[in-house]
Amino acid sequence: MKEKMSVFALDCYPDPDSDPSVVMVVAARSETDAVELAFSHPNADQYKAVQINPKSGSPRQVALERGIHGFVNWKAYKSL
């Protein structure tokens, strides 16, 4: 059985002073773990900063493998 992970929505900023361009959906053990995963992704050089989306609420517990599960816009994430 897969370990229970928390699902985090991370805003990805192409420039720290601009609006986020995408939401990265990450299954991780903690917020720190989620941010570390974000910067280990092969596309990490496309953004300069990440932040846990403040509107995402408390992370949901799910049975998923630890890792990055996709990139979506905020409206798509909210509909999941």
Side-chain angles (χ1 to χ4, degrees), residues 14-80:
D15 176 25
D17 297 323
S18 65
D19 291 335
S21 57
V22 73
V23 173
M24 179 189 295
V25 180
V26 180
R29 295 181 186 96
S30 66
E31 287 185 8
T32 303
D33 188 32
V35 171
E36 287 174 4
L37 280 168
F39 283 110
S40 68
H41 190 274
N43 293 344
D45 60 345
Q46 295 179 14
Y47 43 86
K48 303 294 182 215
V50 296
Q51 170 188 318
I52 302 292
N53 188 293
K55 296 184 274 182
S56 62
S58 42
R60 292 176 267 176
Q61 293 283 312
V62 293
L64 283 175
E65 289 185 27
R66 178 180 174 268
I68 297 166
H69 290 273
F71 294 86
V72 295
N73 66 34
W74 179 243
K75 278 183 152 178
Y77 179 79
K78 283 188 71 167
S79 69
L80 296 175

Side-chain angles (χ1 to χ4, degrees), residues 8-19:
F8 296 94
L10 277 70
D11 288 329
C12 297
Y13 296 86
D15 176 25
D17 297 323
S18 65
D19 291 335

